[in-house]
Amino acid sequence: MTDYRTELAAARGAAARASELLRREYEAFTPIPDAPVSISTHADRASQELILGLLHEQFTGDALCAEESTPRFDSVPKSGRRTWVVDPIDGTRGFAKKVGQFSVMIGLLVDGLPVVGVVAEPVQDRITFAQIGGGCWLQVGTAEPTRCKVSARPFDELVLVQSWAKTGMSPKPVCALTPKTVIETYSGGVKLACVARGEADVYANTYGTFADWDICAGHLLVTEAGGTVTFLNGAPVAYQAPEFKQTNGLLATNGLVHAKAVAALSRES
């Protein structure tokens, strides 16, 4: 198996630099209590410019796929055999509302498969990272990294992580899975990291459309921690579709409950 330690170190370094920038921006940012789902800020664009610059400098021949428009890199292909997939602020509503729930996500696809994944949470000074075949790891501040492992909870003790639900509403995963506990947070990256770290057992993304950068980095964290990640119907996740769209949902679990979760969600659809 190819060793991606150099790429992982570069991704961690870029995420750390972006996190420093975002912590400064976050402290100075005036909260927007009613921030819409589609919000994008100057901080998103500054974070992306920094990350893409660092990655392109070290891996000149790699493609760069990212959420925001960055004219400086318009001439760089957005897909290829090796493609960096970047979300400069995943969960921008959590940034804009100043609730601390957002992340920096950096993934690397090689031949369409995630081989490096980094999810950094700037406010918590926490980074969860993985390379294929190397396990998933968590580092908080300057402490030594510790290995992550998914939970061993069975289906009847399910902990579900999901986006914040509107008052009085029960999202489809809650109705289908009837979890014992629900954790709500902004950022798909944070949700996937929660599954990888064993804090939650299931994350079911049932949005009709999202993008590669919403899941790529976190996908690898879960699988390297011993979990399972598929489309909602149980099929393998595929990347680099036209416009980098994902239209089949996503299911990330501790593995033990995956088959039951697929079945339950299919009955609810």
Side-chain angles (χ1 to χ4, degrees):
M1 183 179 289
T2 305
D3 189 328
Y4 293 100
R5 278 181 293 184
T6 300
E7 288 86 348
L8 176 58
R12 288 181 62 191
R17 290 276 301 277
S19 293
E20 291 172 8
L21 180 154
L22 290 173
R23 276 191 289 271
R24 293 194 299 271
E25 294 287 349
Y26 183 78
E27 288 172 8
F29 196 84
T30 300
I32 305 174
D34 58 349
V37 174
S38 59
I39 190 169
S40 177
T41 71
H42 69 279
D44 293 75
R45 296 182 285 278
S47 175
Q48 181 163 305
E49 179 94 16
L50 174 61
I51 293 167
L52 295 189
L54 291 168
L55 295 175
H56 186 61
E57 181 180 7
Q58 192 165 350
F59 307 102
T60 309
D62 290 358
L64 299 173
C65 172
E67 181 174 26
E68 304 295 327
S69 173
T70 310
R72 176 184 163 197
F73 299 103
D74 280 351
S75 62
V76 179
K78 291 180 170 57
S79 64
R81 180 176 174 268
R82 285 174 49 106
T83 302
W84 291 96
V85 183
V86 175
D87 195 335
I89 303 182
D90 183 57
T92 304
R93 290 180 83 194
F95 178 94
K97 291 185 175 188
K98 293 197 79 168
V99 295
Q101 298 168 355
F102 63 93
S103 67
V104 176
M105 296 176 69
I106 303 176
L108 175 63
L109 294 173
V110 175
D111 296 326
L113 297 175
V115 299
V116 166
V118 171
V119 174
E121 298 167 74
V123 172
Q124 294 77 13
D125 196 12
R126 177 167 61 189
I127 184 168
T128 313
F129 59 92
Q131 68 158 316
I132 192 166
C136 178
W137 299 80
L138 169 67
Q139 184 173 28
V140 181
T142 58
E144 283 296 309
T146 57
R147 191 150 189 168
C148 299
K149 186 173 177 56
V150 293
S151 75
R153 282 183 291 268
F155 197 80
D156 59 0
E157 296 179 13
L158 210 62
V159 177
L160 171 72
V161 62
Q162 66 173 17
S163 297
W164 286 96
K166 293 181 180 178
T167 303
M169 288 186 64
S170 290
K172 175 182 172 180
V174 174
C175 295
L177 303 172
T178 59
K180 187 172 183 180
T181 306
V182 176
I183 300 169
E184 293 182 310
T185 182
Y186 293 112
S187 173
V190 173
K191 296 180 188 86
L192 288 162
C194 281
V195 175
R197 296 192 299 252
E199 298 159 15
D201 313 310
V202 176
Y203 166 48
N205 184 335
T206 58
Y207 292 131
T209 304
F210 50 96
D212 285 359
W213 47 78
D214 294 311
I215 61 172
C216 179
H219 176 169
L220 188 68
L221 302 186
V222 175
T223 55
E224 283 297 317
T228 302
V229 179
T230 66
F231 286 142
L232 285 173
N233 63 6
V237 177
Y239 289 93
Q240 298 183 310
E243 299 180 21
F244 313 105
K245 285 185 177 178
Q246 294 285 347
T247 58
N248 296 301
L250 187 83
L251 180 64
T253 76
N254 63 7
L256 295 175
V257 302
H258 203 84
K260 285 187 176 180
V262 169
L265 287 162
S266 68
R267 287 194 296 270
E268 190 70 21
S269 60

